[in-house]
Amino acid sequence: MNVRASLVILLLAAVVAGAGVVLVGSGDFTMTPGEVVTTLFGHGTFQQEFIVMDLRLPRVLVGLLVGAALGAGGAVFQTVSRNPLGSPDVLGFGQGATVGALTVIVLFQGGATAVAGGAVAGGLLTGVAVYLLAWKRGVHGFRLVLVGIGAAAVLTAVTQYLITKADLVDATRAVVWMTGSLDGRDWAQVWPLLVVCGVLLPLVFAHGPALRVMEMGDDAAYALGVRVERTRLVLMGAAVLLVAVATAAAGPIAFVSLSAPQLARRLTRSTGPNLVAATFMGAALLLVADWVALDAFGDRQLPVGVVTGVLGGCYLLWLLVSERKAGRI
C-alpha cells in the first residue's frame, strides 16, 4: 500500500466533496455550506430543497462524473501509449464524438437525446477506426499516437465543414455545444453517466495491475502471464466509451483527460497508471473549473469548457517545455 498515494486520493476526494458543496450553494440564491448539507439530508425548506435537488445537484453530479470519466480515460490512454500527450483530446476520440453530435445537429436537426447518441456513436466509431489503423501485430504506443493525431486532424476538418454547411440556427447550436458546458444539466444526464461509470470504472480499476505490468513492455508482460492484447482492447474500449459518454453529456471538455493523469502522478509520486488518483483528479479539476466559470467573472458566467481550455493550454505548454528539457521530445 502506497501511503502517499492513499493520502492524495483522500485529499482529492475531500476537494471534490468541498467543491461540490460550494457549487450547490452558489448562484443567485446563495446558500451556506451548512444549509447545503442540511438540505441534502432532507432538513431544508421547500425552496432550498427545490433549488438543491432539482436545479443544482444534477449539474454538480454531471460535472463530477464527467471529470471522473475523462480522468480515468486519459490515464488509460497515456499508459497504453506510454506518452504523456496520448490523451483522448490528442488521439481524436473527443473530435469523433464532436463529429457525431454535429452530424445529428446539422444534418438531422435532432434533439438533445439524439445529439447525445450521435456523440457516443461518433466516439466509438473513431475508437474502432484508430485501433484498426494502428494495428500491426499488436497496437503500440508510438503508432497509436501518430494514427490518433492524423484522425484528429481529419475529424477537425469534418467538424469545420459541417459548420459551414449548417444554417445560422444550427451553426449557433453546434458552436454552443462544442464549447462544453454544464448549464441546464438535469437528472436525465445523471443516470446514464452514473450507470456507465458504475460499470466501467470498476472494470478499469480491476485491470490496473495488468496495466502496470504492461508498462514494462509487451514481452515482459507476456512472460508474467498478462494477456496483453486482450487487456489493451478491454481497457481502450472502456476508456473510449467513458470519454464518448462524458462528451455526450457535457460537450467536448478540453484538456481534463490530458492534465488529470499527469497532475495525479506528480502528486502521488508513484509509478504506474495511478488510475484512482487520476479519476479523482479529473472530477476535482472539472468541479473547480466550473466554480471558477460561475463566480470568478462577476455576472458574466462562462462555459466550463472555456476555463478548462485556457488552463489546459497553459498546462500543455508547460508539459512540452518540461519534456523537452528532459530530452524526451
Side-chain angles (χ1 to χ4, degrees):
M1 180 178 178
N2 189 319
V3 177
R4 182 185 177 91
S6 301
L7 291 176
V8 168
I9 292 171
L10 290 176
L11 177 62
L12 290 174
V15 171
V16 169
V21 170
V22 171
L23 270 175
V24 171
S26 301
D28 294 333
F29 183 86
T30 58
M31 299 172 62
T32 66
E35 290 174 336
V36 172
V37 174
T38 300
T39 304
L40 289 174
F41 281 99
H43 301 294
T45 65
F46 175 80
Q47 184 181 27
Q48 289 174 337
E49 289 187 357
F50 173 74
I51 291 174
V52 171
M53 303 305 295
D54 293 340
L55 299 181
R56 296 180 182 173
L57 183 60
R59 174 194 177 111
V60 172
L61 291 177
V62 169
L64 188 156
L65 293 170
V66 167
L70 293 176
V76 168
F77 278 110
Q78 289 182 16
T79 305
V80 168
S81 64
R82 303 179 194 172
N83 192 320
L85 298 177
S87 77
D89 307 85
V90 178
L91 301 182
F93 303 117
Q95 290 87 341
T98 300
V99 168
L102 294 194
T103 299
V104 174
I105 293 174
V106 174
L107 300 183
F108 303 102
Q109 290 75 45
T113 302
V115 171
V120 173
L124 292 177
L125 289 174
T126 302
V128 172
V130 170
Y131 185 86
L132 293 177
L133 290 172
W135 173 271
K136 184 179 180 182
R137 295 189 297 275
V139 175
H140 299 284
F142 184 71
R143 192 160 57 243
L144 178 66
V145 171
L146 288 180
V147 172
I149 291 174
V154 172
L155 292 168
T156 300
V158 174
T159 298
Q160 295 171 347
Y161 171 77
L162 288 172
I163 292 178
T164 60
K165 297 298 290 183
D167 58 33
L168 181 60
V169 174
D170 290 337
T172 303
R173 183 183 172 199
V175 171
V176 170
W177 187 88
M178 289 171 58
T179 304
S181 175
L182 298 176
D183 292 341
R185 298 307 184 264
D186 56 24
W187 292 103
Q189 284 85 33
V190 172
W191 298 120
L193 269 172
L194 188 61
V195 171
V196 171
C197 291
V199 172
L200 294 182
L201 287 179
L203 177 66
V204 170
F205 297 157
H207 285 79
L211 189 60
R212 183 168 184 170
V213 172
M214 288 167 58
E215 287 189 312
M216 296 189 295
D218 290 358
D219 293 338
Y222 275 121
L224 293 171
V226 176
R227 302 178 67 175
V228 174
E229 283 306 320
R230 178 183 175 183
T231 301
R232 185 180 286 127
L233 180 61
V234 170
L235 286 170
M236 288 182 62
V240 167
L241 187 55
L242 283 170
V243 172
V245 172
T247 304
I253 306 293
F255 290 112
V256 173
S257 57
L258 174 69
S259 57
Q262 293 300 312
L263 292 175
R265 177 171 294 196
R266 282 164 171 76
L267 286 178
T268 61
R269 297 180 185 174
S270 175
T271 58
N274 289 282
L275 294 174
V276 179
T279 300
F280 278 98
M281 178 61 76
L285 284 177
L286 193 54
L287 290 183
V288 171
D290 193 36
W291 175 77
V292 172
L294 285 175
D295 290 344
F297 300 95
D299 295 334
R300 307 190 71 178
Q301 297 182 0
L302 297 178
V304 66
V306 174
V307 177
T308 60
V310 172
L311 298 178
C314 296
Y315 169 78
L316 178 59
L317 291 175
W318 173 82
L319 179 62
L320 289 172
V321 171
S322 299
E323 292 293 305
R324 182 181 179 183
K325 288 182 178 179
R328 288 189 286 267
I329 59 174

